[in-house]
Amino acid sequence: MGAMRKSAVVGGLVLGLLVMGIGVLGLVPLVPGLGTPGRVTTTDCGTLPKHGPTCWGEFTPDGGGPPRAVSIDDVDEDDATVSARMYPWAPDQAFRTPPGVRAVIGSIPLTVIGGTLLAITIGRLVRDRRRRAPAEPGR
């Protein structure tokens, strides 16, 4: 396998995992029982490029505990209280529950595209390995 071919395989694997990972993270809020449930009370809102409406405020866990400063997408109202969840891998961001339709619609294609890229790259890698494998004696 040439150096160019190897870099294409590595690039396909890395890009496929990255794109699929971003898509899956957008779908995680659909998993029931995952994360810490609570409420976000917004204090300031704006529009971020590539994210759309975003607000900042305080997340208060349903089970009690101190409020935490967070950002939350798909909310565009100051002084609003919305149902949300926090996850350990995003300590400064809350996710609206149920997730906004835009978030789900945007995450599904990313997951599919990333998975397809991974499948194509792995398929080509397996096919190239089979072609290069020496024939068994007697065949």
Side-chain angles (χ1 to χ4, degrees):
M1 188 182 297
M4 188 176 196
R5 189 87 166 154
K6 282 183 184 178
S7 65
V9 167
V10 170
L13 291 173
V14 169
L15 187 61
L17 284 171
L18 180 67
V19 170
M20 190 171 80
I22 291 169
V24 167
L25 280 177
L27 297 174
V28 165
L30 295 173
V31 178
L34 190 61
T36 304
R39 304 222 176 274
V40 172
T41 303
T42 60
T43 55
D44 187 30
C45 293
T47 301
L48 296 177
K50 298 183 184 180
H51 283 287
T54 300
C55 288
W56 296 266
E58 289 189 334
F59 176 83
T60 306
D62 286 346
R68 297 177 67 171
V70 295
S71 66
I72 185 167
D73 295 338
D74 292 330
V75 178
D76 58 1
E77 261 185 84
D78 289 346
D79 299 321
T81 300
V82 295
S83 217
R85 284 192 178 274
M86 286 192 70
Y87 302 100
W89 57 86
D92 59 349
Q93 186 174 12
F95 297 86
R96 191 169 189 167
T97 53
V101 172
R102 283 180 25 180
V104 172
I105 290 174
S107 295
I108 291 171
L110 286 175
T111 304
V112 170
I113 290 168
T116 303
L117 183 57
L118 275 174
I120 290 170
T121 303
I122 291 170
R124 286 184 179 169
L125 184 62
V126 168
R127 187 183 67 224
D128 287 349
R129 295 254 185 231
R130 285 184 181 160
R131 281 186 195 160
R132 288 192 349 222
E136 291 181 21
R139 280 191 156 189

PDB file of all heavy atoms in Angstrom, residues 36-40 59-60 62 72 82-86 94-97:
ATOM      1  N   THR A  36     -27.845  14.307  33.852  1.00  0.00           N
ATOM      2  CA  THR A  36     -28.477  14.874  35.041  1.00  0.00           C
ATOM      3  C   THR A  36     -29.632  15.769  34.615  1.00  0.00           C
ATOM      4  O   THR A  36     -29.422  16.777  33.934  1.00  0.00           O
ATOM      5  CB  THR A  36     -27.450  15.723  35.829  1.00  0.00           C
ATOM      6  OG1 THR A  36     -26.333  14.906  36.134  1.00  0.00           O
ATOM      7  CG2 THR A  36     -28.052  16.277  37.094  1.00  0.00           C
ATOM      8  N   PRO A  37     -30.869  15.415  35.008  1.00  0.00           N
ATOM      9  CA  PRO A  37     -32.004  16.252  34.632  1.00  0.00           C
ATOM     10  C   PRO A  37     -32.066  17.511  35.490  1.00  0.00           C
ATOM     11  O   PRO A  37     -31.602  17.526  36.636  1.00  0.00           O
ATOM     12  CB  PRO A  37     -33.208  15.350  34.878  1.00  0.00           C
ATOM     13  CG  PRO A  37     -32.762  14.396  35.932  1.00  0.00           C
ATOM     14  CD  PRO A  37     -31.278  14.223  35.746  1.00  0.00           C
ATOM     15  N   GLY A  38     -32.654  18.546  34.935  1.00  0.00           N
ATOM     16  CA  GLY A  38     -32.828  19.787  35.682  1.00  0.00           C
ATOM     17  C   GLY A  38     -33.510  20.831  34.837  1.00  0.00           C
ATOM     18  O   GLY A  38     -34.181  20.517  33.856  1.00  0.00           O
ATOM     19  N   ARG A  39     -33.322  22.075  35.234  1.00  0.00           N
ATOM     20  CA  ARG A  39     -33.927  23.202  34.531  1.00  0.00           C
ATOM     21  C   ARG A  39     -32.879  24.285  34.307  1.00  0.00           C
ATOM     22  O   ARG A  39     -32.010  24.489  35.135  1.00  0.00           O
ATOM     23  CB  ARG A  39     -35.063  23.785  35.346  1.00  0.00           C
ATOM     24  CG  ARG A  39     -36.120  22.760  35.696  1.00  0.00           C
ATOM     25  CD  ARG A  39     -37.502  23.362  35.521  1.00  0.00           C
ATOM     26  NE  ARG A  39     -38.539  22.381  35.760  1.00  0.00           N
ATOM     27  CZ  ARG A  39     -39.016  21.544  34.852  1.00  0.00           C
ATOM     28  NH1 ARG A  39     -38.521  21.542  33.657  1.00  0.00           N
ATOM     29  NH2 ARG A  39     -39.961  20.685  35.127  1.00  0.00           N
ATOM     30  N   VAL A  40     -32.992  24.957  33.166  1.00  0.00           N
ATOM     31  CA  VAL A  40     -32.127  26.100  32.877  1.00  0.00           C
ATOM     32  C   VAL A  40     -32.997  27.350  32.862  1.00  0.00           C
ATOM     33  O   VAL A  40     -34.020  27.390  32.182  1.00  0.00           O
ATOM     34  CB  VAL A  40     -31.401  25.947  31.522  1.00  0.00           C
ATOM     35  CG1 VAL A  40     -30.666  27.230  31.161  1.00  0.00           C
ATOM     36  CG2 VAL A  40     -30.439  24.783  31.554  1.00  0.00           C
ATOM     37  N   PHE A  59     -28.099  26.328  35.308  1.00  0.00           N
ATOM     38  CA  PHE A  59     -28.697  24.996  35.354  1.00  0.00           C
ATOM     39  C   PHE A  59     -28.867  24.606  36.815  1.00  0.00           C
ATOM     40  O   PHE A  59     -27.918  24.643  37.589  1.00  0.00           O
ATOM     41  CB  PHE A  59     -27.790  23.976  34.656  1.00  0.00           C
ATOM     42  CG  PHE A  59     -28.287  22.562  34.748  1.00  0.00           C
ATOM     43  CD1 PHE A  59     -29.240  22.092  33.864  1.00  0.00           C
ATOM     44  CD2 PHE A  59     -27.805  21.698  35.721  1.00  0.00           C
ATOM     45  CE1 PHE A  59     -29.700  20.786  33.936  1.00  0.00           C
ATOM     46  CE2 PHE A  59     -28.255  20.392  35.800  1.00  0.00           C
ATOM     47  CZ  PHE A  59     -29.210  19.932  34.907  1.00  0.00           C
ATOM     48  N   THR A  60     -30.082  24.242  37.198  1.00  0.00           N
ATOM     49  CA  THR A  60     -30.362  23.769  38.553  1.00  0.00           C
ATOM     50  C   THR A  60     -30.796  22.308  38.453  1.00  0.00           C
ATOM     51  O   THR A  60     -31.831  22.015  37.843  1.00  0.00           O
ATOM     52  CB  THR A  60     -31.479  24.608  39.210  1.00  0.00           C
ATOM     53  OG1 THR A  60     -31.105  25.979  39.140  1.00  0.00           O
ATOM     54  CG2 THR A  60     -31.689  24.192  40.649  1.00  0.00           C
ATOM     55  N   ASP A  62     -32.501  18.752  39.170  1.00  0.00           N
ATOM     56  CA  ASP A  62     -33.760  18.365  39.822  1.00  0.00           C
ATOM     57  C   ASP A  62     -33.512  17.738  41.188  1.00  0.00           C
ATOM     58  O   ASP A  62     -34.320  17.888  42.095  1.00  0.00           O
ATOM     59  CB  ASP A  62     -34.543  17.376  38.947  1.00  0.00           C
ATOM     60  CG  ASP A  62     -35.194  18.058  37.757  1.00  0.00           C
ATOM     61  OD1 ASP A  62     -35.274  19.309  37.736  1.00  0.00           O
ATOM     62  OD2 ASP A  62     -35.615  17.332  36.830  1.00  0.00           O
ATOM     63  N   ILE A  72     -27.026  26.983  26.419  1.00  0.00           N
ATOM     64  CA  ILE A  72     -28.015  26.020  25.926  1.00  0.00           C
ATOM     65  C   ILE A  72     -28.455  26.465  24.537  1.00  0.00           C
ATOM     66  O   ILE A  72     -28.768  27.635  24.318  1.00  0.00           O
ATOM     67  CB  ILE A  72     -29.211  25.868  26.901  1.00  0.00           C
ATOM     68  CG1 ILE A  72     -30.165  24.777  26.432  1.00  0.00           C
ATOM     69  CG2 ILE A  72     -29.913  27.191  27.127  1.00  0.00           C
ATOM     70  CD1 ILE A  72     -31.177  24.347  27.485  1.00  0.00           C
ATOM     71  N   VAL A  82     -36.461  26.333  31.008  1.00  0.00           N
ATOM     72  CA  VAL A  82     -36.716  25.170  30.154  1.00  0.00           C
ATOM     73  C   VAL A  82     -36.141  23.913  30.796  1.00  0.00           C
ATOM     74  O   VAL A  82     -35.177  23.967  31.554  1.00  0.00           O
ATOM     75  CB  VAL A  82     -36.103  25.354  28.745  1.00  0.00           C
ATOM     76  CG1 VAL A  82     -36.769  26.490  28.007  1.00  0.00           C
ATOM     77  CG2 VAL A  82     -34.615  25.561  28.816  1.00  0.00           C
ATOM     78  N   SER A  83     -36.750  22.808  30.481  1.00  0.00           N
ATOM     79  CA  SER A  83     -36.273  21.496  30.922  1.00  0.00           C
ATOM     80  C   SER A  83     -34.991  21.163  30.178  1.00  0.00           C
ATOM     81  O   SER A  83     -34.907  21.383  28.966  1.00  0.00           O
ATOM     82  CB  SER A  83     -37.345  20.471  30.571  1.00  0.00           C
ATOM     83  OG  SER A  83     -37.469  19.506  31.526  1.00  0.00           O
ATOM     84  N   ALA A  84     -33.985  20.659  30.902  1.00  0.00           N
ATOM     85  CA  ALA A  84     -32.699  20.382  30.264  1.00  0.00           C
ATOM     86  C   ALA A  84     -31.981  19.238  30.970  1.00  0.00           C
ATOM     87  O   ALA A  84     -32.397  18.785  32.031  1.00  0.00           O
ATOM     88  CB  ALA A  84     -31.835  21.637  30.277  1.00  0.00           C
ATOM     89  N   ARG A  85     -30.893  18.779  30.352  1.00  0.00           N
ATOM     90  CA  ARG A  85     -30.007  17.757  30.922  1.00  0.00           C
ATOM     91  C   ARG A  85     -28.572  18.198  30.748  1.00  0.00           C
ATOM     92  O   ARG A  85     -28.240  18.868  29.788  1.00  0.00           O
ATOM     93  CB  ARG A  85     -30.176  16.412  30.222  1.00  0.00           C
ATOM     94  CG  ARG A  85     -31.402  15.667  30.612  1.00  0.00           C
ATOM     95  CD  ARG A  85     -31.342  14.230  30.093  1.00  0.00           C
ATOM     96  NE  ARG A  85     -32.508  13.519  30.509  1.00  0.00           N
ATOM     97  CZ  ARG A  85     -32.636  12.896  31.675  1.00  0.00           C
ATOM     98  NH1 ARG A  85     -31.639  12.878  32.510  1.00  0.00           N
ATOM     99  NH2 ARG A  85     -33.738  12.277  31.995  1.00  0.00           N
ATOM    100  N   MET A  86     -27.744  17.749  31.683  1.00  0.00           N
ATOM    101  CA  MET A  86     -26.302  17.973  31.558  1.00  0.00           C
ATOM    102  C   MET A  86     -25.616  16.624  31.505  1.00  0.00           C
ATOM    103  O   MET A  86     -26.086  15.663  32.118  1.00  0.00           O
ATOM    104  CB  MET A  86     -25.773  18.783  32.737  1.00  0.00           C
ATOM    105  CG  MET A  86     -26.153  20.240  32.662  1.00  0.00           C
ATOM    106  SD  MET A  86     -25.250  21.240  33.831  1.00  0.00           S
ATOM    107  CE  MET A  86     -23.618  21.189  33.141  1.00  0.00           C
ATOM    108  N   ALA A  94     -25.813  22.766  28.664  1.00  0.00           N
ATOM    109  CA  ALA A  94     -27.006  21.981  28.950  1.00  0.00           C
ATOM    110  C   ALA A  94     -27.704  21.707  27.620  1.00  0.00           C
ATOM    111  O   ALA A  94     -27.540  22.456  26.651  1.00  0.00           O
ATOM    112  CB  ALA A  94     -27.932  22.734  29.892  1.00  0.00           C
ATOM    113  N   PHE A  95     -28.455  20.622  27.578  1.00  0.00           N
ATOM    114  CA  PHE A  95     -29.163  20.234  26.363  1.00  0.00           C
ATOM    115  C   PHE A  95     -30.646  20.187  26.660  1.00  0.00           C
ATOM    116  O   PHE A  95     -31.071  19.569  27.632  1.00  0.00           O
ATOM    117  CB  PHE A  95     -28.687  18.855  25.883  1.00  0.00           C
ATOM    118  CG  PHE A  95     -27.231  18.851  25.507  1.00  0.00           C
ATOM    119  CD1 PHE A  95     -26.254  18.651  26.462  1.00  0.00           C
ATOM    120  CD2 PHE A  95     -26.847  19.079  24.193  1.00  0.00           C
ATOM    121  CE1 PHE A  95     -24.912  18.656  26.122  1.00  0.00           C
ATOM    122  CE2 PHE A  95     -25.508  19.090  23.849  1.00  0.00           C
ATOM    123  CZ  PHE A  95     -24.545  18.884  24.813  1.00  0.00           C
ATOM    124  N   ARG A  96     -31.422  20.845  25.828  1.00  0.00           N
ATOM    125  CA  ARG A  96     -32.863  20.913  26.023  1.00  0.00           C
ATOM    126  C   ARG A  96     -33.487  19.528  25.918  1.00  0.00           C
ATOM    127  O   ARG A  96     -33.100  18.730  25.078  1.00  0.00           O
ATOM    128  CB  ARG A  96     -33.454  21.837  24.977  1.00  0.00           C
ATOM    129  CG  ARG A  96     -34.873  22.176  25.239  1.00  0.00           C
ATOM    130  CD  ARG A  96     -35.321  23.281  24.331  1.00  0.00           C
ATOM    131  NE  ARG A  96     -36.631  23.720  24.761  1.00  0.00           N
ATOM    132  CZ  ARG A  96     -37.194  24.808  24.352  1.00  0.00           C
ATOM    133  NH1 ARG A  96     -36.591  25.581  23.508  1.00  0.00           N
ATOM    134  NH2 ARG A  96     -38.391  25.125  24.776  1.00  0.00           N
ATOM    135  N   THR A  97     -34.432  19.244  26.787  1.00  0.00           N
ATOM    136  CA  THR A  97     -35.175  17.981  26.719  1.00  0.00           C
ATOM    137  C   THR A  97     -36.653  18.291  26.592  1.00  0.00           C
ATOM    138  O   THR A  97     -37.159  19.086  27.361  1.00  0.00           O
ATOM    139  CB  THR A  97     -34.958  17.113  27.971  1.00  0.00           C
ATOM    140  OG1 THR A  97     -35.233  17.866  29.122  1.00  0.00           O
ATOM    141  CG2 THR A  97     -33.557  16.569  28.034  1.00  0.00           C
TER     142      THR A  97
END
